[in-house]
């Protein structure tokens, strides 16, 4: 018996070691990418880099202020559109799971989540850019909003499904109207999961290049005009990285580092907020 127990313990240790090894192995590519981007990009970042527009080819210096501003504006406009629609759609799917509308809506959400970003860009190009005859930040934000919707809807739906029915039943039994139960009880209790979905959606679209190539296109100058072309961080990285100039390659690494810092900061802040708001049920 002791021999068999010893063999089982050895097997258990071996399998635990294998699991730990592969769990660590999956983080190695991420660590390598992070360290390489930090090494290449951190030396390029300074105040001049953040507050100036790109310099003409052949001239030293230049910055990405137009891209930073453009990305912020387009992601903000996309969030204004996608977040409320996504949250309310997720609430409907969680509250009415057995209706035909919920079934087909959920099916459409799943299909939309698998649509490649470049296809979204092409569709928005024919919907908005071509009829209006111009690339614009509005078209870019609509493309980003479409990509944000499935993530927000599904995260909201799955979060609210995890809440016990007793929460809603207790509020309704006190005579609270249904809409106030949703707004004052259900959504606050599921705030952590909903916010995580919003963060994931923003983190996904902030680095998308393909849809912006067909919609916002880009702008070498600083512009706040949402009805015209507007620059973005992913487009700047694509343009600089594929250029034949070494100084533009350095700027591409700097822009990549800024984008990386933004995404990491967004995730860290979300973790802190969700931990504070999380309710133990």
């Amino acid at each position: 018996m002791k021999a068999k127990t010893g063999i089982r313990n050895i097997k258990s240790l071996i399998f635990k070691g294998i699991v730990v090894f592969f769990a660590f192995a999956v983080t190695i590519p991420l660590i390598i990418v992070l360290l390489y981007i930090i090494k290449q990009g951190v030396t390029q970042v300074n105040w001049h880099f953040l507050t100036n527009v790109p310099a003409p080819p052949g001239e030293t210096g230049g910055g990405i202020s137009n891209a930073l501003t453009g990305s912020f504006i387009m992601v903000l406009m996309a969030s204004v559109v996608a977040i409320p629609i996504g949250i309310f759609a997720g609430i409907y799917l969680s509250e009415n799971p057995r209706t035909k509308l919920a079934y087909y809506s959920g099916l459409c959400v799943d299909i939309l989540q698998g649509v490649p970003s470049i296809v979204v860009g092409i569709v928005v190009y024919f919907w908005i850019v071509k009829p209006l005859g111009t690339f614009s930040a509005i078209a870019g934000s609509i493309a980003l909003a479409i990509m944000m919707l499935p993530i927000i809807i599904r995260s909201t739906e799955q979060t609210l499904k995890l809440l016990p029915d007793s929460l809603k039943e207790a509020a309704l039994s006190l005579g609270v109207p249904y809409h106030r139960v949703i707004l004052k009880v259900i959504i606050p209790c599921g705030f952590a999961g909903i916010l995580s979905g919003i963060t994931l959606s923003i983190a996904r679209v902030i680095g998308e290049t393909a849809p912006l190539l067909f919609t916002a296109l880009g702008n070498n100058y600083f512009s706040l005009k949402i009805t015209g072309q507007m620059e973005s961080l992913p487009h700047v990285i694509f343009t600089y990285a594929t250029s034949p100039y070494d100084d533009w390659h350095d700027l591409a690494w700097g822009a990549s580092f800024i984008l990386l810092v933004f995404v990491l900061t967004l995730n860290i802040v979300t973790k802190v907020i969700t931990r504070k708001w999380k309710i133990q049920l």
Side-chain angles (χ1 to χ4, degrees):
M1 290 296 294
K2 290 183 178 180
K4 291 183 178 180
T5 303
I7 293 174
R8 290 177 181 175
N9 290 335
I10 292 174
K11 289 182 178 179
S12 177
L13 290 174
I14 291 174
F15 280 108
K16 284 182 179 179
I18 293 173
V19 170
V20 171
F21 171 76
F22 282 111
F24 176 74
V26 297
T27 65
I28 292 177
L30 175 63
I31 294 174
I32 293 175
V33 171
L34 292 178
L35 292 178
Y36 192 77
I37 292 177
I38 292 172
K39 177 184 176 182
Q40 296 291 331
V42 69
T43 57
Q44 307 301 324
V45 178
N46 52 53
W47 184 250
H48 183 273
F49 178 75
L50 298 175
T51 58
N52 285 268
V53 297
E59 294 188 11
T60 58
I64 58 170
S65 62
N66 57 336
L68 286 172
T69 305
S71 287
F72 175 78
I73 291 175
M74 284 189 282
V75 171
L76 178 63
M77 291 194 298
S79 300
V80 169
V81 174
I83 290 175
I85 295 176
I87 290 176
F88 285 113
I91 292 172
Y92 177 82
L93 293 179
S94 66
E95 292 292 313
N96 305 275
R98 295 180 179 84
T99 61
K100 288 187 177 180
L101 178 59
Y103 172 78
Y104 288 111
S105 297
L107 181 62
C108 292
V109 170
D110 292 336
I111 295 173
L112 183 60
Q113 193 165 8
V115 174
S117 60
I118 192 169
V119 175
V120 176
I122 294 173
V123 170
V124 176
Y125 172 82
F126 284 103
W127 279 356
I128 299 175
V129 176
K130 194 172 182 180
L132 295 179
T134 180
F135 297 95
S136 66
I138 295 177
S141 63
I142 291 175
L144 298 182
I146 292 174
M147 297 178 61
M148 292 173 65
L149 276 174
I151 303 176
I152 299 176
I153 292 173
R154 279 307 184 193
S155 62
T156 301
E157 178 191 4
Q158 296 303 321
T159 298
L160 298 186
K161 281 184 176 180
L162 295 175
L163 300 178
D165 293 334
S166 57
L167 285 174
K168 182 170 62 177
E169 292 171 357
L172 292 173
S173 66
L174 295 174
V176 181
Y178 180 75
H179 70 279
R180 291 185 63 85
V181 172
I182 298 297
L183 295 176
K184 298 295 184 179
V185 178
I186 301 301
I187 292 180
C189 288
F191 177 79
I194 295 173
L195 183 59
S196 296
I198 293 173
T199 304
L200 288 174
S201 66
I202 294 176
R204 181 195 174 188
V205 302
I206 191 66
E208 286 290 346
T209 308
L212 299 181
L213 289 174
F214 292 93
T215 52
L217 189 59
N219 192 340
N220 289 330
Y221 303 98
F222 188 90
S223 175
L224 299 176
K225 186 179 180 182
I226 61 175
T227 56
Q229 294 178 211
M230 186 171 287
E231 192 57 274
S232 62
L233 275 174
H235 184 260
V236 159
I237 295 171
F238 170 78
T239 303
Y240 285 176
T242 56
S243 71
Y245 308 107
D246 291 335
D247 54 339
W248 279 22
H249 294 166
D250 294 335
L251 293 177
W253 284 117
S256 300
F257 175 76
I258 294 297
L259 187 60
L260 175 67
V261 169
F262 178 82
V263 173
L264 290 177
T265 303
L266 190 62
N267 281 276
I268 292 172
V269 170
T270 302
K271 291 296 182 181
V272 173
I273 294 176
T274 51
R275 182 176 299 178
K276 179 180 178 181
W277 279 70
K278 192 172 182 179
I279 296 176
Q280 298 296 331
L281 299 175

